[in-house]
């Protein structure tokens, strides 16, 4: 079909082309009966481009790529990428303990470029329904039987920081663009997850003439805690557990996710080891006793000051209940995470979609529950952590989730995964 047509029809139209929808597009590529197009408003592919610090690595296996765990023979696998680039032997010989994150980003960019069904630089403005989905974009109008939304996440910072964002207060997603000239400055990194750890490590690893005057690392967690990557914990990131989790009561699901947050948002042990070794060298070998400060178990209560005069951070200690501990800094890096991106383009049909709290309610095929025809689906990806658990925004179930969507559209069920060793449900429930 010509992209110049005012009215184009597809079996599935994707909104967004980040990892989630890129996985779906890759799995659909081999199903020519599913005509599809995936639209991305950005001009080119990007994946945490502002956080690609030197030495940053992937926290999951490379088998958890776009397609392998669903279709190991798919031409969009990480192995296919290495083979096509002529570097498969080199990759093996490199013996990476963990794959460089930049390499995985380049792999996904490669997949987006070799798939003609992905269009960059076209933003979806609205989605309506008249028996088919009517999708208006910056380039025209399309129609679709199904839509798949994978618009990813947006940055989150505390309310008291939002009006001050700029060159001296910024989210860690902009780190590479804004943290290049911090020599001699007082810097605070707020956030105790992997992103905060990588930012702190980068700052204290710079050459002597580029080192900040002082780097403070603040976290509300009781310590700088490692990711739990043990075998049985990883069962939380299997399809069988995702289905079990979805059937639990909402309060039980919420409590579980809070209790096990470190299975997805802890710090990799190599990163923690690098930080500790750097700290040792600075303090005991190089004599830089005042270069860094570690403040776990603290809440940031407020930030006052002005961009030209510096910032004063007021902390509260979670155990001692002391209020008034203050840090004077020049720059604040907010490593405070992400939230699902807004879907304002759904406004014309929003009243027809069921919700569960802040999320759109989905079924076991990740289709939104709504009052439309059963064969017209609105799939959402990476936007149902409350219903599907910590694995929902994670790479682990990317290919499996996309396969569920493909199967729903095709009217089949191809899943062939052996259940977990663990009996998650009671025998009574299984029998019923």
């Amino acid at each position: 079909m010509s992209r110049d047509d005012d009215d184009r029809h597809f079996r599935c139209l994707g909104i967004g082309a980040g990892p989630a929808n890129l996985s779906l597009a890759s799995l659909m590529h081999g199903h020519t009966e599913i005509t599809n197009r995936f639209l991305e408003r950005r001009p080119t592919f990007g994946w945490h481009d502002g956080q690609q610090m030197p030495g940053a690595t992937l926290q999951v296996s490379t088998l958890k790529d776009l397609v392998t765990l669903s279709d190991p023979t798919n031409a969009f696998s990480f192995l296919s990428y290495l083979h096509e680039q002529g570097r498969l032997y080199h990759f093996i010989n490199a013996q990476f303990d963990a794959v460089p994150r930049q390499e995985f980003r380049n792999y996904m960019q490669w997949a987006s470029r070799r798939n003609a069904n992905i269009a960059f630089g076209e933003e979806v403005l609205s989605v309506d329904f008249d028996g088919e989905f009517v999708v208006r974009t910056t380039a025209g109008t399309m129609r679709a039987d199904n839509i798949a939304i994978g618009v990813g996440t947006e940055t989150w910072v505390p309310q008291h920081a939002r009006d001050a964002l700029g060159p001296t207060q910024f989210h860690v997603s902009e780190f590479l663009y804004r943290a290049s000239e911090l020599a001699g400055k007082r810097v605070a990194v707020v956030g105790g997850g992997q992103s905060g750890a990588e930012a702190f490590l980068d700052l204290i690893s710079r050459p002597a003439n580029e080192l900040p005057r002082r780097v403070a690392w603040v976290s509300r967690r009781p310590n700088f805690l490692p990711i739990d990557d043990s075998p049985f914990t990883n069962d939380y990131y299997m399809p069988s557990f995702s289905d079990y989790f979805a059937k639990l009561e909402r309060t039980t699901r919420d409590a579980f996710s809070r209790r096990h947050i470190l299975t997805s948002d802890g710090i990799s042990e190599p990163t923690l080891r690098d930080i500790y070794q750097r700290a040792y060298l600075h303090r005991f070998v190089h004599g830089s006793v005042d270069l860094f400060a570690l403040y776990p178990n603290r809440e940031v209560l407020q930030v006052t000051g002005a961009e030209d005069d510096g910032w004063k951070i007021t902390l509260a200690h979670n155990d001692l209940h002391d209020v008034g501990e203050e840090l004077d800094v020049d720059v604040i890096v907010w490593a405070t995470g992400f939230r699902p991106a807004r879907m304002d383009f759904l406004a014309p049909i929003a009243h027809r979609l069921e919700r569960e709290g802040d999320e759109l309610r989905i079924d076991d095929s990740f289709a939104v529950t709504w009052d439309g025809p059963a064969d017209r689906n609105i799939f959402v990806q990476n936007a149902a952590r409350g219903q599907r658990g910590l694995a929902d925004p994670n790479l682990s179930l990317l290919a499996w989730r996309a396969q569920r969507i493909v199967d729903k559209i095709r009217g089949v069920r191809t899943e062939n995964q052996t259940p977990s060793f663990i009996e998650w449900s009671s025998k009574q429930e299984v029998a019923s």
Side-chain angles (χ1 to χ4, degrees), residues 244-316:
Y244 162 76
F245 183 92
K247 297 174 183 176
L248 298 175
E249 294 290 335
R250 182 177 174 183
T251 55
T252 303
R253 297 197 306 260
D254 292 345
F256 179 94
S257 294
R258 288 193 300 270
R259 189 165 63 249
H260 295 285
I261 186 64
L262 292 176
T263 66
S264 69
D265 196 34
I267 305 167
S268 67
E269 291 199 25
T271 302
L272 287 171
R273 193 176 304 114
D274 285 347
I275 289 173
Y276 203 96
Q277 289 174 358
R278 286 283 179 179
Y280 181 97
L281 292 173
H282 280 304
R283 184 157 293 181
F284 300 131
V285 177
H286 305 312
S288 303
V289 296
D290 196 37
L291 175 65
F292 65 89
L294 303 174
Y295 296 99
N297 215 14
R298 270 86 161 178
E299 292 278 353
V300 175
L301 294 183
Q302 65 176 1
V303 177
T304 56
E307 188 172 307
D308 296 333
D309 300 327
W311 306 101
K312 187 180 294 293
I313 304 175
T314 303
L315 304 175

Side-chain angles (χ1 to χ4, degrees), residues 186-193 200 213-225 275 283 289-300 313-320 322 324-329:
R186 302 162 299 172
V187 183
V189 177
V190 180
F200 180 75
R213 160 69 182 84
R214 183 175 173 84
V215 186
W217 188 13
V218 180
S219 172
R220 62 183 177 184
R221 294 177 182 172
N223 202 343
F224 301 104
L225 300 171
I275 289 173
R283 184 157 293 181
V289 296
D290 196 37
L291 175 65
F292 65 89
L294 303 174
Y295 296 99
N297 215 14
R298 270 86 161 178
E299 292 278 353
V300 175
I313 304 175
T314 303
L315 304 175
H317 197 289
N318 293 332
D319 286 343
L320 304 177
D322 290 336
E325 189 174 16
E326 294 181 339
L327 301 177
D328 292 314
V329 300

Side-chain angles (χ1 to χ4, degrees), residues 157-177:
V157 297
Q159 184 68 44
H160 52 68
R162 293 171 192 173
D163 293 336
L165 293 178
T168 61
Q169 283 199 54
F170 52 87
H171 191 269
V172 70
S173 60
E174 299 181 281
F175 189 83
L176 289 188
Y177 312 132

Side-chain angles (χ1 to χ4, degrees), residues 68-364:
T68 295
L69 289 180
S70 177
D71 179 10
T73 65
N74 192 288
F76 290 90
S77 69
F78 183 69
L79 275 180
S80 295
Y81 158 74
L82 292 176
H83 176 70
E84 185 175 291
Q85 301 297 311
R87 64 176 76 155
L88 192 50
Y89 281 98
H90 303 79
F91 182 83
I92 294 170
N93 292 345
Q95 298 182 7
F96 289 113
D97 291 328
V99 176
R101 193 183 299 150
Q102 180 71 41
E103 174 82 319
F104 206 72
R105 178 243 179 253
N106 292 346
Y107 150 65
M108 290 191 289
Q109 182 181 53
W110 165 86
S112 73
R113 286 175 172 172
R114 73 193 304 261
N115 190 336
N117 295 326
I118 297 175
F120 288 94
E122 186 168 352
E123 182 178 2
V124 170
L125 304 175
S126 68
V127 176
D128 210 334
F129 187 78
D130 63 1
E132 296 175 338
F133 292 105
V134 181
V135 181
R136 293 180 174 84
T137 79
T138 51
T141 300
M142 299 182 184
R143 289 180 171 269
D145 298 333
N146 305 276
I147 59 173
I149 303 172
V151 292
T153 57
E154 57 190 14
T155 59
W156 185 90
V157 297
Q159 184 68 44
H160 52 68
R162 293 171 192 173
D163 293 336
L165 293 178
T168 61
Q169 283 199 54
F170 52 87
H171 191 269
V172 70
S173 60
E174 299 181 281
F175 189 83
L176 289 188
Y177 312 132
R178 294 189 178 272
S180 58
E181 298 180 1
L182 298 179
K185 296 186 177 181
R186 302 162 299 172
V187 183
V189 177
V190 180
Q194 181 71 15
S195 296
E198 289 173 353
F200 180 75
L201 177 60
D202 180 90
L203 291 168
I204 66 171
S205 301
R206 298 182 174 188
N209 64 333
E210 297 179 18
L211 280 171
R213 160 69 182 84
R214 183 175 173 84
V215 186
W217 188 13
V218 180
S219 172
R220 62 183 177 184
R221 294 177 182 172
N223 202 343
F224 301 104
L225 300 171
I227 191 170
D228 184 351
D229 193 31
S230 55
F232 286 103
T233 295
N234 278 324
D235 269 46
Y236 297 151
Y237 297 85
M238 288 179 63
S240 56
F241 184 81
S242 179
D243 284 337
Y244 162 76
F245 183 92
K247 297 174 183 176
L248 298 175
E249 294 290 335
R250 182 177 174 183
T251 55
T252 303
R253 297 197 306 260
D254 292 345
F256 179 94
S257 294
R258 288 193 300 270
R259 189 165 63 249
H260 295 285
I261 186 64
L262 292 176
T263 66
S264 69
D265 196 34
I267 305 167
S268 67
E269 291 199 25
T271 302
L272 287 171
R273 193 176 304 114
D274 285 347
I275 289 173
Y276 203 96
Q277 289 174 358
R278 286 283 179 179
Y280 181 97
L281 292 173
H282 280 304
R283 184 157 293 181
F284 300 131
V285 177
H286 305 312
S288 303
V289 296
D290 196 37
L291 175 65
F292 65 89
L294 303 174
Y295 296 99
N297 215 14
R298 270 86 161 178
E299 292 278 353
V300 175
L301 294 183
Q302 65 176 1
V303 177
T304 56
E307 188 172 307
D308 296 333
D309 300 327
W311 306 101
K312 187 180 294 293
I313 304 175
T314 303
L315 304 175
H317 197 289
N318 293 332
D319 286 343
L320 304 177
H321 306 295
D322 290 336
V323 177
E325 189 174 16
E326 294 181 339
L327 301 177
D328 292 314
V329 300
D330 302 304
V331 175
I332 304 173
V333 181
W334 294 100
T336 43
F338 300 82
R339 298 292 185 274
R342 295 172 60 90
M343 304 180 198
D344 294 339
F345 48 81
L346 290 178
I349 58 172
H351 62 286
R352 306 182 64 178
L353 314 179
E354 292 188 20
R355 303 194 69 88
E356 183 168 315
D358 294 333
E359 298 176 352
L360 294 170
R361 178 173 286 124
I362 59 171
D363 65 15
D364 64 354

